[in-house]
Coordinates of all heavy atoms in Angstrom, one line a residue:
Q23 N 15.8 115.3 -44.2 CA 14.6 115.1 -44.7 C 13.4 115.2 -43.6 O 12.2 115.5 -43.9 CB 14.4 113.7 -45.4 CG 15.2 113.7 -46.7 CD 15.0 112.4 -47.5 OE1 14.6 111.3 -46.8 NE2 15.5 112.4 -48.8
A24 N 13.9 114.9 -42.4 CA 12.9 115.1 -41.3 C 12.6 116.6 -41.0 O 11.6 116.9 -40.4 CB 13.5 114.5 -40.0
G25 N 13.5 117.5 -41.4 CA 13.3 118.9 -41.3 C 14.3 119.6 -40.4 O 14.1 120.7 -40.0
L26 N 15.5 118.9 -40.1 CA 16.5 119.5 -39.3 C 17.8 120.0 -40.1 O 18.3 119.1 -40.7 CB 17.0 118.6 -38.2 CG 15.8 118.2 -37.2 CD1 16.3 117.2 -36.1 CD2 15.3 119.4 -36.5
L27 N 18.1 121.2 -40.0 CA 19.4 121.7 -40.5 C 20.6 121.0 -39.8 O 20.5 121.0 -38.6 CB 19.5 123.2 -40.4 CG 20.8 123.8 -40.8 CD1 20.9 123.9 -42.3 CD2 20.9 125.3 -40.1
I28 N 21.6 120.6 -40.5 CA 22.7 119.9 -39.9 C 23.9 120.8 -39.9 O 24.4 121.5 -40.8 CB 23.1 118.6 -40.6 CG1 22.0 117.5 -40.6 CG2 24.4 118.0 -40.2 CD1 22.3 116.3 -41.3
Y29 N 24.5 121.0 -38.6 CA 25.8 121.5 -38.4 C 26.7 120.3 -38.0 O 26.1 119.3 -37.4 CB 25.8 122.5 -37.2 CG 24.9 123.7 -37.4 CD1 23.5 123.5 -37.0 CD2 25.3 124.8 -38.0 CE1 22.7 124.7 -37.1 CE2 24.4 125.9 -38.2 CZ 23.0 125.8 -37.7 OH 22.2 126.9 -37.9
A30 N 27.9 120.3 -38.4 CA 28.7 119.1 -38.1 C 30.1 119.4 -37.8 O 30.7 120.3 -38.3 CB 28.5 118.2 -39.3
G31 N 30.8 118.6 -37.0 CA 32.2 118.7 -36.6 C 33.0 117.6 -37.3 O 32.5 116.4 -37.4
F32 N 34.2 117.9 -37.8 CA 35.1 117.0 -38.4 C 36.4 117.3 -37.8 O 36.9 118.4 -37.4 CB 35.2 117.2 -39.9 CG 33.8 116.9 -40.6 CD1 32.9 117.9 -40.8 CD2 33.6 115.7 -41.1 CE1 31.7 117.6 -41.4 CE2 32.4 115.4 -41.7 CZ 31.4 116.4 -41.8
I33 N 37.3 116.2 -37.7 CA 38.7 116.3 -37.1 C 39.6 115.6 -38.0 O 39.4 114.5 -38.5 CB 38.6 115.6 -35.7 CG1 37.6 116.3 -34.7 CG2 40.0 115.5 -35.1 CD1 37.5 115.6 -33.4
L34 N 40.8 116.3 -38.1 CA 42.0 115.7 -38.7 C 43.0 115.3 -37.7 O 43.2 116.1 -36.7 CB 42.6 116.7 -39.8 CG 41.8 116.8 -41.1 CD1 42.3 118.1 -41.9 CD2 41.8 115.6 -41.9
G35 N 43.8 114.3 -37.9 CA 44.9 113.9 -37.1 C 44.8 112.7 -36.2 O 45.6 112.5 -35.4
F36 N 43.7 111.9 -36.5 CA 43.6 110.6 -35.7 C 44.8 109.7 -36.0 O 45.4 109.7 -37.1 CB 42.3 109.9 -36.1 CG 41.0 110.7 -35.7 CD1 40.2 111.2 -36.6 CD2 40.8 110.8 -34.2 CE1 39.1 111.8 -36.1 CE2 39.6 111.4 -33.8 CZ 38.8 112.0 -34.8
D37 N 45.1 108.9 -35.0 CA 46.0 107.9 -35.2 C 45.8 107.0 -36.4 O 44.5 106.5 -36.4 CB 46.3 107.0 -34.0 CG 47.3 107.8 -32.9 OD1 47.7 108.8 -33.2 OD2 47.6 107.1 -31.8
G38 N 46.8 106.6 -37.2 CA 46.6 105.8 -38.3 C 45.8 106.4 -39.5 O 45.5 105.7 -40.4
E39 N 45.5 107.7 -39.4 CA 44.9 108.4 -40.5 C 45.7 108.3 -41.8 O 46.9 108.5 -41.9 CB 44.7 109.8 -40.0 CG 43.8 110.6 -41.0 CD 43.6 112.1 -40.5 OE1 44.5 112.8 -40.5 OE2 42.5 112.3 -39.8
R40 N 44.9 107.9 -42.9 CA 45.6 107.8 -44.1 C 45.7 109.2 -44.9 O 44.9 110.1 -44.6 CB 44.8 106.8 -45.1 CG 44.9 105.4 -44.6 CD 43.9 104.5 -45.5 NE 42.5 104.8 -45.3 CZ 41.7 105.3 -46.2 NH1 42.1 105.6 -47.4 NH2 40.4 105.4 -45.9
S41 N 46.6 109.4 -45.7 CA 46.8 110.6 -46.5 C 45.5 110.8 -47.3 O 44.8 109.9 -47.6 CB 47.9 110.5 -47.4 OG 49.1 110.5 -46.8
G42 N 45.2 112.1 -47.5 CA 44.0 112.5 -48.2 C 42.7 112.5 -47.3 O 41.6 112.6 -47.9
A43 N 42.9 112.5 -46.0 CA 41.7 112.6 -45.2 C 40.9 113.8 -45.4 O 39.7 113.8 -45.3 CB 42.2 112.4 -43.7
G44 N 41.6 114.8 -45.6 CA 40.9 116.2 -45.9 C 40.1 116.2 -47.0 O 38.9 116.6 -47.2
D45 N 40.6 115.5 -48.2 CA 39.8 115.3 -49.4 C 38.5 114.5 -49.2 O 37.5 114.8 -49.8 CB 40.7 114.6 -50.5 CG 41.8 115.5 -51.0 OD1 41.7 116.8 -50.9 OD2 42.7 114.9 -51.5
R46 N 38.6 113.4 -48.4 CA 37.5 112.6 -48.1 C 36.4 113.3 -47.3 O 35.2 113.1 -47.5 CB 37.9 111.3 -47.4 CG 38.8 110.4 -48.3 CD 39.1 109.1 -47.7 NE 40.0 109.2 -46.5 CZ 41.4 109.1 -46.6 NH1 41.9 109.2 -47.7 NH2 42.1 109.2 -45.4
I47 N 36.9 114.2 -46.3 CA 36.0 115.0 -45.6 C 35.3 116.0 -46.5 O 34.0 116.1 -46.5 CB 36.7 115.7 -44.5 CG1 37.1 114.8 -43.4 CG2 35.8 116.9 -43.9 CD1 37.9 115.5 -42.2
R48 N 35.9 116.5 -47.4 CA 35.5 117.5 -48.4 C 34.4 116.8 -49.3 O 33.4 117.5 -49.5 CB 36.6 118.1 -49.2 CG 36.1 119.3 -50.0 CD 37.3 120.2 -50.5 NE 38.2 119.5 -51.3 CZ 39.5 119.2 -51.1 NH1 40.0 119.7 -49.8 NH2 40.3 118.6 -51.9
A49 N 34.7 115.6 -49.7 CA 33.8 114.9 -50.6 C 32.6 114.6 -49.8 O 31.4 114.7 -50.3 CB 34.5 113.7 -51.1
F50 N 32.7 114.2 -48.5 CA 31.5 113.9 -47.7 C 30.6 115.1 -47.6 O 29.4 115.1 -47.6 CB 31.9 113.4 -46.4 CG 30.8 113.0 -45.5 CD1 30.2 111.7 -45.5 CD2 30.3 113.9 -44.6 CE1 29.2 111.4 -44.7 CE2 29.2 113.6 -43.7 CZ 28.6 112.2 -43.8
V51 N 31.2 116.3 -47.3 CA 30.5 117.5 -47.1 C 29.7 117.9 -48.4 O 28.6 118.3 -48.3 CB 31.5 118.6 -46.6 CG1 30.7 120.0 -46.7 CG2 31.9 118.4 -45.2
E52 N 30.4 117.7 -49.4 CA 29.7 118.1 -50.7 C 28.6 117.1 -51.0 O 27.6 117.4 -51.5 CB 30.8 117.9 -51.9 CG 31.8 119.1 -51.8 CD 31.2 120.5 -51.8 OE1 30.2 120.8 -52.5 OE2 31.7 121.4 -51.0
E53 N 28.7 115.8 -50.6 CA 27.7 114.9 -50.9 C 26.5 115.2 -50.0 O 25.3 115.1 -50.5 CB 28.2 113.4 -50.6 CG 27.1 112.3 -50.7 CD 27.6 111.0 -50.2 OE1 28.7 110.9 -49.7 OE2 26.8 110.0 -50.3
T54 N 26.7 115.5 -48.7 CA 25.6 115.8 -47.9 C 25.2 117.3 -47.8 O 24.1 117.6 -47.2 CB 26.0 115.5 -46.4 OG1 27.2 116.1 -46.0 CG2 26.2 113.9 -46.3
Q55 N 25.9 118.2 -48.5 CA 25.5 119.5 -48.5 C 25.4 120.2 -47.2 O 24.6 121.1 -47.0 CB 24.3 119.8 -49.4 CG 24.4 119.4 -50.8 CD 25.5 120.2 -51.5 OE1 25.6 121.4 -51.5 NE2 26.2 119.5 -52.4
I56 N 26.3 119.8 -46.2 CA 26.3 120.4 -44.9 C 26.9 121.8 -45.0 O 27.9 121.9 -45.5 CB 27.1 119.6 -43.9 CG1 26.4 118.2 -43.7 CG2 27.3 120.3 -42.5 CD1 27.2 117.2 -42.9
P57 N 26.0 122.8 -44.7 CA 26.5 124.2 -44.9 C 27.8 124.6 -44.2 O 28.7 125.2 -44.6 CB 25.3 125.1 -44.5 CG 24.1 124.2 -44.5 CD 24.7 122.9 -44.2
Q58 N 27.8 124.3 -42.9 CA 28.9 124.8 -41.9 C 29.6 123.6 -41.3 O 29.4 123.5 -40.1 CB 28.3 125.7 -40.9 CG 27.6 127.0 -41.6 CD 27.0 127.9 -40.4 OE1 27.2 127.7 -39.3 NE2 26.3 128.9 -41.0
P59 N 30.5 122.9 -42.0 CA 31.3 121.9 -41.4 C 32.3 122.6 -40.5 O 33.2 123.4 -41.0 CB 31.8 121.2 -42.6 CG 31.9 122.2 -43.7 CD 30.7 123.1 -43.5
M60 N 32.5 122.2 -39.3 CA 33.5 122.7 -38.3 C 34.7 121.8 -38.4 O 34.6 120.6 -37.9 CB 33.0 122.8 -37.0 CG 34.0 123.5 -36.0 SD 34.0 123.1 -34.3 CE 34.9 121.6 -34.4
L61 N 35.8 122.2 -39.1 CA 37.0 121.3 -39.3 C 38.0 121.7 -38.2 O 38.3 122.9 -38.1 CB 37.5 121.5 -40.7 CG 38.7 120.7 -41.0 CD1 38.4 119.2 -41.0 CD2 39.3 121.1 -42.3
G62 N 38.5 120.7 -37.5 CA 39.5 121.0 -36.5 C 40.6 120.0 -36.6 O 40.5 119.0 -37.3
I63 N 41.7 120.4 -35.8 CA 42.9 119.4 -35.7 C 42.8 118.8 -34.4 O 42.6 119.5 -33.4 CB 44.2 120.2 -35.9 CG1 44.3 120.8 -37.4 CG2 45.4 119.3 -35.8 CD1 45.4 121.7 -37.6
L64 N 43.0 117.5 -34.3 CA 42.8 116.8 -33.0 C 43.8 117.3 -32.0 O 45.0 117.6 -32.2 CB 43.2 115.3 -33.3 CG 42.9 114.4 -32.0 CD1 41.5 114.4 -31.5 CD2 43.4 112.9 -32.4
Q65 N 43.2 117.5 -30.7 CA 44.1 117.9 -29.6 C 43.8 116.9 -28.5 O 42.6 116.4 -28.3 CB 43.6 119.3 -29.1 CG 43.7 120.4 -30.1 CD 45.2 120.7 -30.4 OE1 46.0 120.5 -29.7 NE2 45.3 121.3 -31.7
A66 N 44.8 116.7 -27.6 CA 44.6 115.9 -26.5 C 44.2 116.6 -25.3 O 45.0 117.4 -24.8 CB 45.9 115.0 -26.2
L67 N 43.0 116.6 -24.9 CA 42.5 117.4 -23.8 C 42.9 116.7 -22.5 O 42.8 115.5 -22.4 CB 40.9 117.6 -23.9 CG 40.5 118.4 -25.2 CD1 39.0 118.4 -25.2 CD2 41.1 119.7 -25.1
P68 N 43.2 117.5 -21.5 CA 43.6 116.9 -20.1 C 42.6 115.9 -19.7 O 41.3 116.2 -19.6 CB 43.7 118.1 -19.3 CG 43.9 119.3 -20.2 CD 43.1 118.9 -21.4
N69 N 43.1 114.8 -19.1 CA 42.4 113.8 -18.4 C 41.5 112.9 -19.3 O 40.8 112.1 -18.7 CB 41.5 114.4 -17.3 CG 42.3 115.4 -16.4 OD1 43.4 115.0 -15.9 ND2 41.7 116.6 -16.1
T70 N 41.5 113.1 -20.7 CA 40.7 112.2 -21.4 C 41.6 111.0 -21.6 O 42.6 110.8 -21.3 CB 40.4 112.9 -22.8 OG1 41.8 113.1 -23.5 CG2 39.8 114.2 -22.7

């Protein structure tokens, strides 16, 4: 509403994640109408 288009990142695979996490992300994207949600699978990057 302030006037900024939203791009957003989403991740699957967190520890303790419940089944249906993708469905909940999809529902959130549809609620917010974010055009380009970047969906990824969690990776452990070195030294993090």
Side-chain angles (χ1 to χ4, degrees):
Q23 288 181 346
L26 296 178
L27 175 78
I28 292 177
Y29 304 88
F32 296 88
I33 297 174
L34 288 168
F36 291 114
D37 275 6
E39 185 175 77
R40 294 177 286 116
S41 295
D45 290 337
R46 293 187 293 277
I47 289 173
R48 190 162 63 242
F50 181 88
V51 170
E52 293 305 320
E53 178 185 2
T54 55
Q55 296 297 319
I56 295 171
Q58 295 177 9
M60 189 206 80
L61 183 64
I63 300 175
L64 184 63
Q65 304 291 335
L67 297 177
N69 308 316
T70 60

